[in-house]
């Protein structure tokens, strides 16, 4: 018989933490910053890695893909193990392993060893992220303080995403490619020193037995689904991607069925019947899809169409990231008075406006419209992420905070992959459909130009001036038309997120 978890109430007059609690928050922000920087910094190092290690095409893809595959597959497992064995202990193990393997990855002599190191980084990264969010649940018992702590936590994620291109650009201008991995060491050493002193241990007092079958099923569900989505983004629809997706869905069905039959499940499915939990997860997922998809095509426009360097393009995105941080912090006092089913859709109106600005200014060639659009988009995403993460944690029992945090992190990882697959795939398809190649191009040049905007950029600079200019003008126009249509679709996804929030978040967590 399935045991339904009772959802405890969290009173606004619960004990408030002092300076020690906020110092613990600062410590917990270190791994968040690191993982979010790591999400974006590697892409800048890939050209130098390709020159140094000479990976095959398949190895190059695995250098990028193996980390999120392992991370997404293990998040729920590691969150549950943190509930059982101690969230601080899991955090310290993850930090130690992540720092050590990062140092090894920096000096990997072959592509195969770098892929293995990236897989281990996914393993230890899966220990870090659920632990940080679930520890906030145990440290900040007062809900008003917890809202602010989660806003700061989400802001660290945004700041890390903004810092990734800047840090990556700086390091690669002055050091070898391994430096993008070595930055983990000075970030995590303070965590290993300060966490035992400032962060209290917490765990589930009644964790039940370890369910190895559920652990295997959770991995067997997530890894094929993420791999299928990434294959779809890179190669388009295929029987292989469909087969992996079906396998993941079937394993997910077996995982859910096992949880429903377990007396003490690894992940309590009853949580998903609560609007404040399942609705917040969907809002979280769609918000990340919108953010990552936006960054995917805007970063190409800034670097290829406008000709900015990677570091300068990263700096152009900083105002939007700052807006995201400010919005995440500002929404905290607002959420005390305005219910989530009102404040989240209201915030997402800004994100819709951001996409519309891009859709109707694609004819502009300046940086300003894109900067303004990202600022407006960031306001809505920042507010939605703070509220959705807080609702996910508050809707789950404190003893199961690790598992709940893992679900939130899984939504984030899936959203990041889907953002590239859906919006990135759409803009590529629209670009190819709208591209009209000038006459006289060699076959291999035409093929490269049709594949991606970057391929057209490289080909245009290798051709005679007149033919190269004609090719680049055609490619820029095709990409611009793709941006317009994709931005309208992105705006539609944000509208869907707002509707979901308006309907599901009416079920409020008592507090």
């Amino acid at each position: 018989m399935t045991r339904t978890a009772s959802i405890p109430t969290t009173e606004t007059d619960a004990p408030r933490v002092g300076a020690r609690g906020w110092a613990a928050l600062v410590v917990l922000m270190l791994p968040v910053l690191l993982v979010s920087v790591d999400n974006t910094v590697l892409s800048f190092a890939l050209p130098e890695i390709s020159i140094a290690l000479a990976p095959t095409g398949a190895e190059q893809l695995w250098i990028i893909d193996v980390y999120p595959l392992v991370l997404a597959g293990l998040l729920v497992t590691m969150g549950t193990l943190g509930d059982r064995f101690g969230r601080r202990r899991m955090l310290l193990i993850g930090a130690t392993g992540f720092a050590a393997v990062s140092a090894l990855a920096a000096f990997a002599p072959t592509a195969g060893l770098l892929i293995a190191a990236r897989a281990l980084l996914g393993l230890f990264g899966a220990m870090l992220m659920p632990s940080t969010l679930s520890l906030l649940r145990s440290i900040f018992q007062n809900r008003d303080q917890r809202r602010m702590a989660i806003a700061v936590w989400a802001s660290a994620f945004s700041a890390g995403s903004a810092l990734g291109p800047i840090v990556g650009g700086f390091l690669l201008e002055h050091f070898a490619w391994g430096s993008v991995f070595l930055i983990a060491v000075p970030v995590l050493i303070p965590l290993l020193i300060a966490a035992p002193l400032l962060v209290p241990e917490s765990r589930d007092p009644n964790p039940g037995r370890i369910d190895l079958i559920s652990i295997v099923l959770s991995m067997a569900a997530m890894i094929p689904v993420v791999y299928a989505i990434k294959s779809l983004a890179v190669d388009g629809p295929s029987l292989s991607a469909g087969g992996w997706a079906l396998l993941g869905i079937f394993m997910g069905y077996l995982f859910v069925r096992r949880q429903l039959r377990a007396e003490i499940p690894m992940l309590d499915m009853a949580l998903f019947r609560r609007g404040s939990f399942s609705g917040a997860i969907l809002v979280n997922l769609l918000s990340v899809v919108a953010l990552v998809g936006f960054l995917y095509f805007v970063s190409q426009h800034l670097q290829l169409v406008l000709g900015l360097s990677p570091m300068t393009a990263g700096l152009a995105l900083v105002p939007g990231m700052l807006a995201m941080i400010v919005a995440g912090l500002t929404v905290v006092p607002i959420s005390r008075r305005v219910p989530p089913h009102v404040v989240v859709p209201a915030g997402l109106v800004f994100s819709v406006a951001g996409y519309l600005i891009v859709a109707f200014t694609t004819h502009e060639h300046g940086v300003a419209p894109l900067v303004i659009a990202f600022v407006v988009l960031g306001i809505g995403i920042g507010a939605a992420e703070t509220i959705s993460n807080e609702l996910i944690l508050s809707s789950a029992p404190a003893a199961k905070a690790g598992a709940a945090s893992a679900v939130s992190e899984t939504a984030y990882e899936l959203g990041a992959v889907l953002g590239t697959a859906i919006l990135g795939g759409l803009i590529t398809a629209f670009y190819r459909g709208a591209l009209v190649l000038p006459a006289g191009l060699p076959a291999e040049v035409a093929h490269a130009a049709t594949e991606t905007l970057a391929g057209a950029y490289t080909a245009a600079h290798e051709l005679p001036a007149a033919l190269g200019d004609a090719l680049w003008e055609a490619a820029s126009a095709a990409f611009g038309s793709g941006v317009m249509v994709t931005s309208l679709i992105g705006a539609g996804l944000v509208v869907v997120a707002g509707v979901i929030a308006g309907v599901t978040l009416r079920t409020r967590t008592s507090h």
Side-chain angles (χ1 to χ4, degrees), residues 36 67 259 295:
S36 57
Y67 175 80
Q259 304 316 297
L295 290 173

Side-chain angles (χ1 to χ4, degrees), residues 65-75 118-120 122-123 126 223:
D65 290 348
V66 71
Y67 175 80
L69 284 175
V70 175
L71 182 70
L74 288 174
L75 279 169
R118 289 277 291 167
L120 285 174
L123 167 67
I223 291 177

Side-chain angles (χ1 to χ4, degrees), residues 303-381:
Q303 294 183 60
L304 298 177
V305 178
L306 300 182
L308 302 183
S309 68
M311 188 171 179
T312 305
L315 288 171
L317 297 175
V318 168
M321 293 297 180
L322 290 176
M324 201 177 304
I325 292 170
V326 172
L329 297 174
T330 304
V331 80
V332 173
I334 296 174
S335 65
R336 295 172 188 159
R337 299 172 178 83
V338 183
H341 74 274
V342 175
V343 71
V344 172
L348 290 176
V349 168
F350 285 91
S351 297
V352 173
Y355 264 114
L356 293 179
I357 290 172
V358 175
F360 296 108
T361 60
T362 51
H363 62 283
E364 300 288 344
H365 297 290
V367 177
L370 294 177
V371 173
I372 294 170
F374 192 41
V375 167
V376 178
L377 179 95
I379 292 172
I381 299 298

Side-chain angles (χ1 to χ4, degrees), residues 19-359:
R20 183 185 178 90
W22 294 107
L25 172 62
V26 173
V27 172
L28 293 175
M29 285 173 62
L30 293 174
V32 175
L33 277 169
L34 177 66
V35 172
S36 57
V37 167
D38 193 64
N39 283 338
T40 54
V41 73
L42 184 65
S43 59
F44 288 86
L46 195 59
E48 290 196 23
I49 291 173
S50 299
I51 294 172
L53 303 183
T56 65
E59 286 176 333
Q60 184 168 299
L61 285 176
W62 276 111
I63 289 172
I64 297 292
D65 290 348
V66 71
Y67 175 80
L69 284 175
V70 175
L71 182 70
L74 288 174
L75 279 169
V76 173
T77 296
M78 294 305 175
T80 304
L81 291 178
D83 288 339
R84 163 180 284 275
F85 295 114
R87 294 148 192 154
R88 187 184 69 180
R89 177 180 296 176
M90 194 65 66
L91 176 69
L92 294 175
I93 293 172
T96 303
F98 202 96
V101 175
S102 294
L104 293 175
F107 301 101
T110 66
L113 288 175
L114 181 57
I115 291 169
R118 289 277 291 167
L120 285 174
L121 287 175
L123 167 67
F124 291 114
M127 297 180 187
L128 290 174
M129 296 315 297
S131 298
T132 60
L133 193 53
S134 57
L135 282 166
L136 293 185
R137 177 72 165 86
S138 61
I139 294 171
F140 295 92
Q141 298 179 28
N142 180 280
R143 190 168 185 186
D144 288 340
Q145 286 192 318
R146 187 165 67 246
R147 284 193 183 104
M148 180 57 72
I150 291 174
V152 173
W153 180 92
S155 297
F157 235 121
S158 301
S161 299
L163 286 172
I166 299 170
V167 171
F170 174 81
L171 290 174
L172 293 171
E173 284 181 10
H174 296 87
F175 305 102
W177 62 265
S179 59
V180 302
F181 293 102
L182 286 177
I183 57 174
V185 178
V187 172
L188 291 177
I189 286 177
L191 169 70
L192 293 171
I193 296 171
L197 301 175
L198 296 172
V199 179
E201 183 60 282
S202 68
R203 56 171 57 87
D204 184 352
N206 183 32
R209 64 184 179 85
I210 295 178
D211 187 353
L212 292 177
I213 295 178
S214 289
I215 290 174
V216 172
L217 287 175
S218 70
M219 294 175 61
M222 286 304 307
I223 291 177
V225 168
V226 175
Y227 183 72
I229 296 171
K230 293 187 78 69
S231 297
L232 183 66
V234 175
D235 303 320
S238 66
L239 288 176
S240 174
W244 284 111
L246 289 175
L247 175 62
I249 291 169
F250 177 68
M251 291 299 176
Y253 162 75
L254 295 179
F255 174 79
V256 171
R257 188 177 69 168
R258 184 171 181 84
Q259 304 316 297
L260 292 173
R261 294 179 177 181
E263 182 179 355
I264 302 179
M266 175 177 164
L267 181 62
D268 193 344
M269 294 293 112
L271 290 172
F272 292 92
R273 301 192 193 106
R274 298 181 59 84
S276 56
F277 186 83
S278 56
I281 289 171
L282 288 173
V283 170
N284 201 341
L285 174 71
L286 291 172
S287 296
V288 176
V289 169
L291 174 62
V292 172
F294 185 93
L295 290 173
Y296 178 83
F297 60 76
V298 166
S299 62
Q300 292 186 69
H301 189 89
L302 289 171
Q303 294 183 60
L304 298 177
V305 178
L306 300 182
L308 302 183
S309 68
M311 188 171 179
T312 305
L315 288 171
L317 297 175
V318 168
M321 293 297 180
L322 290 176
M324 201 177 304
I325 292 170
V326 172
L329 297 174
T330 304
V331 80
V332 173
I334 296 174
S335 65
R336 295 172 188 159
R337 299 172 178 83
V338 183
H341 74 274
V342 175
V343 71
V344 172
L348 290 176
V349 168
F350 285 91
S351 297
V352 173
Y355 264 114
L356 293 179
I357 290 172
V358 175

